[in-house]
Amino acid sequence: MTAGFLVLIVSIANAILSKLILGNNRRKVSETEGKYIQIGGLIVIAIIGLCSIFFIFDILEANTMRWFWLFFLILAVGFHAIMEWTFLRESKEYVVSLMVLMIGLIYIFMFMF
């Protein structure tokens, strides 16, 4: 249940911070030449995450899942921020991603640990 709230908190924080910091000038990496790099990276991260959950980790143990969500959030949002920094540096999109990452990490440490 707390993992569902994590996804909800991260999504809402992303929407609110994007509006506050960037306004309507939002751009996406998929609109640049980094489109296929981002898609490939996200597919690799998703495969690693799914394989970790199903084949490596014990999903019934709460402590293991806390660490999984911590590392998965850092990996996924960190990759997204790096892609934005590389391909959209002038628009400061990566600042929003880094702030969302911090909010997600704070949520994990406060409510999941």
Side-chain angles (χ1 to χ4, degrees):
M1 176 112 163
T2 55
F5 283 128
L6 173 64
V7 172
L8 183 67
I9 294 291
V10 167
S11 299
I12 291 172
N14 190 18
I16 291 172
L17 289 172
S18 294
K19 276 287 193 201
L20 289 176
I21 294 174
L22 301 171
N24 292 329
N25 299 332
R26 187 114 203 232
R27 292 182 55 206
K28 297 179 181 178
V29 176
S30 62
E31 299 170 352
T32 66
E33 62 274 1
K35 176 181 181 178
Y36 297 110
I37 298 170
Q38 182 182 27
I39 291 171
L42 291 176
I43 288 172
V44 168
I45 291 170
I47 290 171
I48 290 171
L50 289 173
C51 288
S52 297
I53 285 180
F54 291 123
F55 300 117
I56 298 173
F57 296 132
D58 179 17
I59 60 173
L60 299 177
E61 187 176 329
N63 193 36
T64 303
M65 291 309 295
R66 289 177 191 134
W67 284 104
F68 168 78
W69 283 112
L70 179 77
F71 288 121
F72 187 76
L73 181 73
I74 292 170
L75 187 63
V77 179
F79 174 74
H80 189 69
I82 289 171
M83 294 300 294
E84 289 175 339
W85 180 72
T86 303
F87 294 104
L88 301 172
R89 190 174 300 183
E90 67 281 350
S91 69
K92 304 290 185 196
E93 295 273 344
Y94 61 93
V95 174
V96 173
S97 293
L98 292 174
M99 292 174 80
V100 167
L101 177 61
M102 290 301 128
I103 291 170
L105 292 176
I106 290 169
Y107 175 82
I108 289 173
F109 283 120
M110 289 182 69
F111 297 109
M112 293 178 86
F113 275 98

